[in-house]
Every structure is written in structure tokens, then in C-alpha cells.
Amino acid sequence: MTTVALASIGSTAARSPAELGVAAITLARRLAADVVVDDRGAPQWNGDEIDLAASPDGSVLKTGPVDDGFLTGRAGIALALAAAARHARDASLALLAQAAIADVLDARGTAQRRQLGWQSGDLGIAIAAERIADLLGRPDLAKAGRRLSAGAVAALATTDDSRLPGYADLLDGSAGHLLAVLAAALPASAEQHRAAAAERLVRDLRARAVVDICGARWPMADGDRAVTGLAHGSSGIGLALLAAHAAGVVGADRALADAAWTWEDAGYGAEDGGWYDLRVDEPAIGLAWCHGAPGIGIAAALRSRIDRDDALESEATYLRALRSIERARREFPDDEGDDATLCHGRSGIVELHVAGTEAAWSTDATSREEHLRAARYEASVIAAGIDADGSTTWSHGVRGGRSPAVLDGTAGVVLTLLRCAGPLASVAHPPLRVR
């Protein structure tokens, strides 16, 4: 049983699940109010992103419509609205969610050479459609999502290697594609392609691995540097390989997954109390879902669900992740940070605690309740920064910009708060087939 020490979060009072649900609905209604209608009459949202053409160093932002993706755009926003609609029994939120995901599905059906992954591509949009269908009782959306998944899986199984993402990570890389392929809801006629698609993605991960005495690592998409973490590092890639091995995918070697975690362990600095963010040259401890302790701890909890024989080792990694966050707060008590997002803020820490309730080692009600209490304390800090009109005092987006999306914006915070208010599937990883 994991014992959870609550990290200090200042004077914020813990809120009840009902109060966290109210905060989520307030934020969801603000998200709905921010909708714009495009020239086709379809719902759309605007967000800020780095303007690489104007600033190679990433210092300049531009504002424009978000894409259709699960983590990055309209599909994920629709899911947040649908979850809020179900929680609050709000018909207007439900209608907006349905309109948004229906338009996304229609647009993807006619798009050429579209992305296939779970962050921004067809597999992720299909996940959103399936979940919205379940939340709102719309089987037609689930059917459309299965068609979208079938097309993506068939493309990965039967077309040339140009449909592979070209890099390894858990977001829109081969590891993320692999987990999404393994768990995709497919029509019976498309099942024939699942194994072939998974085998091709495993081969791609094996070919891209750099294996030496330190373990296995994979270069990031934008260069030759390998990093730690769930999003782009060996935690997420090892998780995908472990899931493929458990599913019996040809070529999925458990030893390569183990080597991924061996390399990740080497990136832990005991003296500094955390995993180093290897994107930067100066030693710095990563404390984000994407590059740091929250994501690495989440991966460890998920590992235990796939392979219960590995539960002791994965629990040890999970505990190190908790201690890394606790140590950072002790050493920098006035530097809590005001980012609330899943990717690089407090929502990622909420997800870490909720993942602890679902891990193989949380075998009794006391352990699970400790994790939930810790998650709700973290969520309470987020809720305290939401005003009555849905405006917020905390930051999101990138470089001071604004985002409505799941990964770095409002929709992800809505879903995080609702995770603490009642049962709701995580968006912090692709869905897993757990034996």
C-alpha cells in the first residue's frame, strides 16, 4: 500500500467533490461562451501558439483557430463540454459538444492525408467521439468514431512507411500510435488490420532505439537529443512496448521496455531529488506531466496495471515521483507556480494522484482515499483561481498565451476537476487494454 504524504499547498482549503464539480461547470460555461462560429456555421475556438516564422526562438505568439485534435483542439474541447453537460445535466453544453464533435468527424472524413495519432489525429478524435457518445447517449457518434479508427489502423497496416510519424514519442509518435491502435474500438471488419499496424509500429520503435549499457533511449522529434518523461521520453515509449508485449504483438520485446526504464532511472538525480529535464543544458529538475515527475509517476502506475508482477518496482518509481514534488515544494515554498494545465501545471499533479488510486498496489479503500484526498487538495488550488464568470487567475497556454485545449488549456482543466468530482476516464494517456 502506498502512503501518500500531502504536499503543502499553502492556506487553500480542500473542497468537496461537489464543490470541485461546480468549479468545473463554471469553467466549462466560460469555455462555451468563448466559442466562435466559422464561415460554415460550425463551432470553433481560438488559441495562441508559437509563431515560428516570426520568431525561431519561440518568443512571438500568434492567435488563430485550434485544430481538430483530441489534446490540441476541438475534439478534446467537445469532450470537456460533454463531460460537464453530463455532470450538470446542462442541455446547452451537450448540444454544443455534439455540434463540435460532429463537425470534426465530418471534416476528418473528407480531409486528405490527415494525421493519424492520438494527440491531434484520427485515433485521438475517435477516442473523443467514443467517450462523448457514452456521456451523451449518442451511438451514432460512436459509430463514426469507429469508422475513423478503422481508417487510421488500416492506413498504418497497409500503406507505405510514409504514414508512420517519423519519431517515437507518446504524443503523436509511434509509441502513442501503438497504444491507440491496441485499444481502438474497431468494427469487426477492421480487426484484421490491428495486429499488422501494431507490428509495424513496434518495428519502427525498435529501429529508432539507441541501446547501450545505460539502457534504451529515443531521440526527440526535433533533433538527436533523448529526454526523460511521459510525453517525449522513455517512460511513455516503454509503456507502449510493455502494452504491446502483453497483447502478444509480434516483435514486442519486454526486454526493450525494461531497457527504456533503465535509461530513465539513470536520469534521476538523487542529490537534486528528481529527474533531469534533458532538453536543457544546465541541470534542472522536471516537474511537469510532459517532462518530469508527474508523467513518470503516471507511467509507473499504468505499468503496474499492465503487469502486476512489476508492481513493486513501479510503485518505487511512483513514490519517487511524489517525493520529487514534495521536495520541490519544501525547498521553494514561495514558488508554487500558477500554471493549472495538464501538460506543465497543477492538473498533471492531480492526475498523478488519481493514477495512484488505479494502480495495482492500491488494494484497499484507505490507500485509494489518501490518493483521492491529495488529488482534491491540488484541484482545490485550481478551483480557487476560477472566478464566478469563469475567468481565471492562473495561467495556461504557452509563453503567456491562452489556450482552450486539453493539453495546455481550459478543456484539460475542466476534465481534471471533473475527475475529482466523480468517475471519468483520464485524458493523460491513451486508453489501455488492461488484462
PDB file of all heavy atoms in Angstrom, residues 55-86:
ATOM      1  N   SER A  55       9.475  34.117 -35.144  1.00  0.00           N
ATOM      2  CA  SER A  55      10.437  34.045 -34.033  1.00  0.00           C
ATOM      3  C   SER A  55      10.937  32.616 -33.868  1.00  0.00           C
ATOM      4  O   SER A  55      10.309  31.819 -33.194  1.00  0.00           O
ATOM      5  CB  SER A  55       9.772  34.505 -32.731  1.00  0.00           C
ATOM      6  OG  SER A  55       8.681  33.664 -32.426  1.00  0.00           O
ATOM      7  N   PRO A  56      12.059  32.287 -34.482  1.00  0.00           N
ATOM      8  CA  PRO A  56      12.619  30.940 -34.315  1.00  0.00           C
ATOM      9  C   PRO A  56      12.897  30.577 -32.864  1.00  0.00           C
ATOM     10  O   PRO A  56      12.930  29.398 -32.513  1.00  0.00           O
ATOM     11  CB  PRO A  56      13.924  31.009 -35.116  1.00  0.00           C
ATOM     12  CG  PRO A  56      13.703  32.103 -36.119  1.00  0.00           C
ATOM     13  CD  PRO A  56      12.838  33.108 -35.420  1.00  0.00           C
ATOM     14  N   ASP A  57      13.057  31.596 -31.995  1.00  0.00           N
ATOM     15  CA  ASP A  57      13.320  31.316 -30.581  1.00  0.00           C
ATOM     16  C   ASP A  57      12.036  31.101 -29.791  1.00  0.00           C
ATOM     17  O   ASP A  57      12.073  30.830 -28.580  1.00  0.00           O
ATOM     18  CB  ASP A  57      14.110  32.460 -29.951  1.00  0.00           C
ATOM     19  CG  ASP A  57      13.328  33.773 -29.941  1.00  0.00           C
ATOM     20  OD1 ASP A  57      12.276  33.867 -30.612  1.00  0.00           O
ATOM     21  OD2 ASP A  57      13.796  34.718 -29.270  1.00  0.00           O
ATOM     22  N   GLY A  58      10.872  31.191 -30.458  1.00  0.00           N
ATOM     23  CA  GLY A  58       9.605  30.927 -29.788  1.00  0.00           C
ATOM     24  C   GLY A  58       9.078  32.050 -28.935  1.00  0.00           C
ATOM     25  O   GLY A  58       8.195  31.849 -28.099  1.00  0.00           O
ATOM     26  N   SER A  59       9.559  33.273 -29.135  1.00  0.00           N
ATOM     27  CA  SER A  59       9.158  34.380 -28.269  1.00  0.00           C
ATOM     28  C   SER A  59       7.901  35.108 -28.757  1.00  0.00           C
ATOM     29  O   SER A  59       7.324  35.895 -28.004  1.00  0.00           O
ATOM     30  CB  SER A  59      10.313  35.384 -28.158  1.00  0.00           C
ATOM     31  OG  SER A  59      10.639  35.911 -29.440  1.00  0.00           O
ATOM     32  N   VAL A  60       7.479  34.849 -29.991  1.00  0.00           N
ATOM     33  CA  VAL A  60       6.321  35.542 -30.553  1.00  0.00           C
ATOM     34  C   VAL A  60       5.174  34.552 -30.720  1.00  0.00           C
ATOM     35  O   VAL A  60       5.363  33.431 -31.207  1.00  0.00           O
ATOM     36  CB  VAL A  60       6.671  36.183 -31.912  1.00  0.00           C
ATOM     37  CG1 VAL A  60       5.436  36.838 -32.529  1.00  0.00           C
ATOM     38  CG2 VAL A  60       7.788  37.205 -31.742  1.00  0.00           C
ATOM     39  N   LEU A  61       3.979  34.975 -30.313  1.00  0.00           N
ATOM     40  CA  LEU A  61       2.790  34.134 -30.433  1.00  0.00           C
ATOM     41  C   LEU A  61       1.876  34.664 -31.518  1.00  0.00           C
ATOM     42  O   LEU A  61       1.888  35.843 -31.857  1.00  0.00           O
ATOM     43  CB  LEU A  61       2.029  34.100 -29.105  1.00  0.00           C
ATOM     44  CG  LEU A  61       2.764  33.554 -27.882  1.00  0.00           C
ATOM     45  CD1 LEU A  61       1.852  33.629 -26.665  1.00  0.00           C
ATOM     46  CD2 LEU A  61       3.244  32.138 -28.112  1.00  0.00           C
ATOM     47  N   LYS A  62       1.061  33.767 -32.057  1.00  0.00           N
ATOM     48  CA  LYS A  62       0.012  34.161 -32.984  1.00  0.00           C
ATOM     49  C   LYS A  62      -1.298  33.522 -32.537  1.00  0.00           C
ATOM     50  O   LYS A  62      -1.298  32.449 -31.918  1.00  0.00           O
ATOM     51  CB  LYS A  62       0.360  33.734 -34.411  1.00  0.00           C
ATOM     52  CG  LYS A  62       0.512  32.237 -34.610  1.00  0.00           C
ATOM     53  CD  LYS A  62       0.854  31.897 -36.045  1.00  0.00           C
ATOM     54  CE  LYS A  62       1.038  30.384 -36.237  1.00  0.00           C
ATOM     55  NZ  LYS A  62       1.378  30.039 -37.635  1.00  0.00           N
ATOM     56  N   THR A  63      -2.381  34.184 -32.830  1.00  0.00           N
ATOM     57  CA  THR A  63      -3.707  33.710 -32.428  1.00  0.00           C
ATOM     58  C   THR A  63      -4.466  33.230 -33.645  1.00  0.00           C
ATOM     59  O   THR A  63      -4.459  33.883 -34.696  1.00  0.00           O
ATOM     60  CB  THR A  63      -4.499  34.832 -31.737  1.00  0.00           C
ATOM     61  OG1 THR A  63      -3.764  35.287 -30.594  1.00  0.00           O
ATOM     62  CG2 THR A  63      -5.865  34.336 -31.292  1.00  0.00           C
ATOM     63  N   GLY A  64      -5.129  32.084 -33.510  1.00  0.00           N
ATOM     64  CA  GLY A  64      -5.912  31.560 -34.617  1.00  0.00           C
ATOM     65  C   GLY A  64      -6.722  30.356 -34.181  1.00  0.00           C
ATOM     66  O   GLY A  64      -6.654  29.924 -33.021  1.00  0.00           O
ATOM     67  N   PRO A  65      -7.512  29.788 -35.091  1.00  0.00           N
ATOM     68  CA  PRO A  65      -8.342  28.636 -34.748  1.00  0.00           C
ATOM     69  C   PRO A  65      -7.496  27.433 -34.335  1.00  0.00           C
ATOM     70  O   PRO A  65      -6.449  27.165 -34.932  1.00  0.00           O
ATOM     71  CB  PRO A  65      -9.102  28.347 -36.053  1.00  0.00           C
ATOM     72  CG  PRO A  65      -9.020  29.606 -36.849  1.00  0.00           C
ATOM     73  CD  PRO A  65      -7.706  30.228 -36.483  1.00  0.00           C
ATOM     74  N   VAL A  66      -7.942  26.717 -33.323  1.00  0.00           N
ATOM     75  CA  VAL A  66      -7.260  25.484 -32.936  1.00  0.00           C
ATOM     76  C   VAL A  66      -7.565  24.403 -33.970  1.00  0.00           C
ATOM     77  O   VAL A  66      -8.485  24.531 -34.791  1.00  0.00           O
ATOM     78  CB  VAL A  66      -7.702  25.021 -31.535  1.00  0.00           C
ATOM     79  CG1 VAL A  66      -7.368  26.073 -30.493  1.00  0.00           C
ATOM     80  CG2 VAL A  66      -9.193  24.680 -31.499  1.00  0.00           C
ATOM     81  N   ASP A  67      -6.810  23.315 -33.940  1.00  0.00           N
ATOM     82  CA  ASP A  67      -7.039  22.227 -34.882  1.00  0.00           C
ATOM     83  C   ASP A  67      -8.186  21.335 -34.388  1.00  0.00           C
ATOM     84  O   ASP A  67      -8.916  21.695 -33.456  1.00  0.00           O
ATOM     85  CB  ASP A  67      -5.754  21.433 -35.127  1.00  0.00           C
ATOM     86  CG  ASP A  67      -5.242  20.730 -33.870  1.00  0.00           C
ATOM     87  OD1 ASP A  67      -6.032  20.508 -32.928  1.00  0.00           O
ATOM     88  OD2 ASP A  67      -4.044  20.394 -33.828  1.00  0.00           O
ATOM     89  N   ASP A  68      -8.346  20.177 -35.001  1.00  0.00           N
ATOM     90  CA  ASP A  68      -9.455  19.294 -34.643  1.00  0.00           C
ATOM     91  C   ASP A  68      -9.062  18.231 -33.618  1.00  0.00           C
ATOM     92  O   ASP A  68      -9.865  17.365 -33.285  1.00  0.00           O
ATOM     93  CB  ASP A  68      -9.974  18.584 -35.908  1.00  0.00           C
ATOM     94  CG  ASP A  68     -10.769  19.509 -36.817  1.00  0.00           C
ATOM     95  OD1 ASP A  68     -11.229  20.566 -36.324  1.00  0.00           O
ATOM     96  OD2 ASP A  68     -10.929  19.183 -38.000  1.00  0.00           O
ATOM     97  N   GLY A  69      -7.849  18.271 -33.095  1.00  0.00           N
ATOM     98  CA  GLY A  69      -7.312  17.169 -32.319  1.00  0.00           C
ATOM     99  C   GLY A  69      -7.942  16.941 -30.960  1.00  0.00           C
ATOM    100  O   GLY A  69      -8.680  17.775 -30.418  1.00  0.00           O
ATOM    101  N   PHE A  70      -7.595  15.784 -30.397  1.00  0.00           N
ATOM    102  CA  PHE A  70      -8.069  15.385 -29.074  1.00  0.00           C
ATOM    103  C   PHE A  70      -7.394  16.218 -27.985  1.00  0.00           C
ATOM    104  O   PHE A  70      -8.056  16.871 -27.181  1.00  0.00           O
ATOM    105  CB  PHE A  70      -7.756  13.894 -28.897  1.00  0.00           C
ATOM    106  CG  PHE A  70      -8.189  13.290 -27.579  1.00  0.00           C
ATOM    107  CD1 PHE A  70      -9.240  13.806 -26.841  1.00  0.00           C
ATOM    108  CD2 PHE A  70      -7.547  12.160 -27.090  1.00  0.00           C
ATOM    109  CE1 PHE A  70      -9.632  13.229 -25.640  1.00  0.00           C
ATOM    110  CE2 PHE A  70      -7.923  11.572 -25.897  1.00  0.00           C
ATOM    111  CZ  PHE A  70      -8.961  12.106 -25.169  1.00  0.00           C
ATOM    112  N   LEU A  71      -6.074  16.232 -27.959  1.00  0.00           N
ATOM    113  CA  LEU A  71      -5.360  17.003 -26.951  1.00  0.00           C
ATOM    114  C   LEU A  71      -5.154  18.450 -27.348  1.00  0.00           C
ATOM    115  O   LEU A  71      -4.943  19.308 -26.483  1.00  0.00           O
ATOM    116  CB  LEU A  71      -3.989  16.373 -26.672  1.00  0.00           C
ATOM    117  CG  LEU A  71      -3.964  14.956 -26.106  1.00  0.00           C
ATOM    118  CD1 LEU A  71      -2.550  14.581 -25.695  1.00  0.00           C
ATOM    119  CD2 LEU A  71      -4.924  14.774 -24.955  1.00  0.00           C
ATOM    120  N   THR A  72      -5.217  18.742 -28.620  1.00  0.00           N
ATOM    121  CA  THR A  72      -4.824  20.060 -29.124  1.00  0.00           C
ATOM    122  C   THR A  72      -5.958  20.900 -29.678  1.00  0.00           C
ATOM    123  O   THR A  72      -5.722  22.058 -30.026  1.00  0.00           O
ATOM    124  CB  THR A  72      -3.775  19.888 -30.235  1.00  0.00           C
ATOM    125  OG1 THR A  72      -4.292  18.984 -31.229  1.00  0.00           O
ATOM    126  CG2 THR A  72      -2.479  19.316 -29.678  1.00  0.00           C
ATOM    127  N   GLY A  73      -7.175  20.365 -29.769  1.00  0.00           N
ATOM    128  CA  GLY A  73      -8.196  21.127 -30.463  1.00  0.00           C
ATOM    129  C   GLY A  73      -9.637  20.775 -30.135  1.00  0.00           C
ATOM    130  O   GLY A  73      -9.980  20.409 -29.004  1.00  0.00           O
ATOM    131  N   ARG A  74     -10.461  20.847 -31.167  1.00  0.00           N
ATOM    132  CA  ARG A  74     -11.918  20.822 -30.968  1.00  0.00           C
ATOM    133  C   ARG A  74     -12.455  19.514 -30.409  1.00  0.00           C
ATOM    134  O   ARG A  74     -13.441  19.509 -29.654  1.00  0.00           O
ATOM    135  CB  ARG A  74     -12.615  21.130 -32.295  1.00  0.00           C
ATOM    136  CG  ARG A  74     -12.468  22.573 -32.744  1.00  0.00           C
ATOM    137  CD  ARG A  74     -13.497  22.902 -33.815  1.00  0.00           C
ATOM    138  NE  ARG A  74     -13.314  22.104 -35.024  1.00  0.00           N
ATOM    139  CZ  ARG A  74     -14.257  21.932 -35.960  1.00  0.00           C
ATOM    140  NH1 ARG A  74     -15.455  22.481 -35.805  1.00  0.00           N
ATOM    141  NH2 ARG A  74     -14.006  21.222 -37.045  1.00  0.00           N
ATOM    142  N   ALA A  75     -11.871  18.376 -30.779  1.00  0.00           N
ATOM    143  CA  ALA A  75     -12.383  17.102 -30.266  1.00  0.00           C
ATOM    144  C   ALA A  75     -12.274  17.043 -28.747  1.00  0.00           C
ATOM    145  O   ALA A  75     -13.201  16.614 -28.054  1.00  0.00           O
ATOM    146  CB  ALA A  75     -11.636  15.940 -30.913  1.00  0.00           C
ATOM    147  N   GLY A  76     -11.131  17.468 -28.222  1.00  0.00           N
ATOM    148  CA  GLY A  76     -10.958  17.468 -26.770  1.00  0.00           C
ATOM    149  C   GLY A  76     -11.832  18.498 -26.077  1.00  0.00           C
ATOM    150  O   GLY A  76     -12.347  18.260 -24.974  1.00  0.00           O
ATOM    151  N   ILE A  77     -12.009  19.661 -26.694  1.00  0.00           N
ATOM    152  CA  ILE A  77     -12.910  20.679 -26.139  1.00  0.00           C
ATOM    153  C   ILE A  77     -14.327  20.127 -26.078  1.00  0.00           C
ATOM    154  O   ILE A  77     -15.044  20.291 -25.082  1.00  0.00           O
ATOM    155  CB  ILE A  77     -12.846  21.964 -26.977  1.00  0.00           C
ATOM    156  CG1 ILE A  77     -11.444  22.584 -26.886  1.00  0.00           C
ATOM    157  CG2 ILE A  77     -13.903  22.964 -26.524  1.00  0.00           C
ATOM    158  CD1 ILE A  77     -11.204  23.713 -27.868  1.00  0.00           C
ATOM    159  N   ALA A  78     -14.745  19.446 -27.149  1.00  0.00           N
ATOM    160  CA  ALA A  78     -16.077  18.842 -27.167  1.00  0.00           C
ATOM    161  C   ALA A  78     -16.234  17.822 -26.046  1.00  0.00           C
ATOM    162  O   ALA A  78     -17.289  17.734 -25.404  1.00  0.00           O
ATOM    163  CB  ALA A  78     -16.340  18.204 -28.528  1.00  0.00           C
ATOM    164  N   LEU A  79     -15.191  17.034 -25.795  1.00  0.00           N
ATOM    165  CA  LEU A  79     -15.253  16.054 -24.712  1.00  0.00           C
ATOM    166  C   LEU A  79     -15.411  16.745 -23.363  1.00  0.00           C
ATOM    167  O   LEU A  79     -16.207  16.307 -22.513  1.00  0.00           O
ATOM    168  CB  LEU A  79     -14.000  15.183 -24.722  1.00  0.00           C
ATOM    169  CG  LEU A  79     -13.875  14.175 -23.578  1.00  0.00           C
ATOM    170  CD1 LEU A  79     -15.059  13.216 -23.557  1.00  0.00           C
ATOM    171  CD2 LEU A  79     -12.566  13.405 -23.675  1.00  0.00           C
ATOM    172  N   ALA A  80     -14.668  17.816 -23.123  1.00  0.00           N
ATOM    173  CA  ALA A  80     -14.796  18.546 -21.856  1.00  0.00           C
ATOM    174  C   ALA A  80     -16.209  19.097 -21.686  1.00  0.00           C
ATOM    175  O   ALA A  80     -16.796  19.015 -20.594  1.00  0.00           O
ATOM    176  CB  ALA A  80     -13.774  19.682 -21.809  1.00  0.00           C
ATOM    177  N   LEU A  81     -16.771  19.637 -22.757  1.00  0.00           N
ATOM    178  CA  LEU A  81     -18.143  20.161 -22.688  1.00  0.00           C
ATOM    179  C   LEU A  81     -19.148  19.051 -22.455  1.00  0.00           C
ATOM    180  O   LEU A  81     -20.118  19.214 -21.698  1.00  0.00           O
ATOM    181  CB  LEU A  81     -18.471  20.922 -23.969  1.00  0.00           C
ATOM    182  CG  LEU A  81     -17.670  22.205 -24.210  1.00  0.00           C
ATOM    183  CD1 LEU A  81     -17.981  22.777 -25.586  1.00  0.00           C
ATOM    184  CD2 LEU A  81     -17.943  23.241 -23.124  1.00  0.00           C
ATOM    185  N   ALA A  82     -18.936  17.896 -23.082  1.00  0.00           N
ATOM    186  CA  ALA A  82     -19.853  16.768 -22.899  1.00  0.00           C
ATOM    187  C   ALA A  82     -19.797  16.243 -21.469  1.00  0.00           C
ATOM    188  O   ALA A  82     -20.827  15.919 -20.865  1.00  0.00           O
ATOM    189  CB  ALA A  82     -19.511  15.654 -23.885  1.00  0.00           C
ATOM    190  N   ALA A  83     -18.583  16.144 -20.909  1.00  0.00           N
ATOM    191  CA  ALA A  83     -18.452  15.683 -19.528  1.00  0.00           C
ATOM    192  C   ALA A  83     -19.121  16.661 -18.565  1.00  0.00           C
ATOM    193  O   ALA A  83     -19.790  16.251 -17.606  1.00  0.00           O
ATOM    194  CB  ALA A  83     -16.971  15.512 -19.183  1.00  0.00           C
ATOM    195  N   ALA A  84     -18.958  17.969 -18.822  1.00  0.00           N
ATOM    196  CA  ALA A  84     -19.615  18.973 -17.984  1.00  0.00           C
ATOM    197  C   ALA A  84     -21.129  18.909 -18.145  1.00  0.00           C
ATOM    198  O   ALA A  84     -21.880  19.030 -17.168  1.00  0.00           O
ATOM    199  CB  ALA A  84     -19.097  20.364 -18.351  1.00  0.00           C
ATOM    200  N   ALA A  85     -21.589  18.703 -19.371  1.00  0.00           N
ATOM    201  CA  ALA A  85     -23.031  18.597 -19.620  1.00  0.00           C
ATOM    202  C   ALA A  85     -23.637  17.423 -18.872  1.00  0.00           C
ATOM    203  O   ALA A  85     -24.716  17.527 -18.276  1.00  0.00           O
ATOM    204  CB  ALA A  85     -23.286  18.454 -21.115  1.00  0.00           C
ATOM    205  N   ARG A  86     -22.949  16.293 -18.894  1.00  0.00           N
ATOM    206  CA  ARG A  86     -23.433  15.112 -18.172  1.00  0.00           C
ATOM    207  C   ARG A  86     -23.454  15.374 -16.667  1.00  0.00           C
ATOM    208  O   ARG A  86     -24.413  15.004 -15.973  1.00  0.00           O
ATOM    209  CB  ARG A  86     -22.529  13.922 -18.507  1.00  0.00           C
ATOM    210  CG  ARG A  86     -22.799  12.655 -17.709  1.00  0.00           C
ATOM    211  CD  ARG A  86     -24.114  11.994 -18.085  1.00  0.00           C
ATOM    212  NE  ARG A  86     -24.253  10.722 -17.404  1.00  0.00           N
ATOM    213  CZ  ARG A  86     -23.873   9.544 -17.908  1.00  0.00           C
ATOM    214  NH1 ARG A  86     -23.323   9.488 -19.115  1.00  0.00           N
ATOM    215  NH2 ARG A  86     -24.066   8.433 -17.227  1.00  0.00           N
TER     216      ARG A  86
END
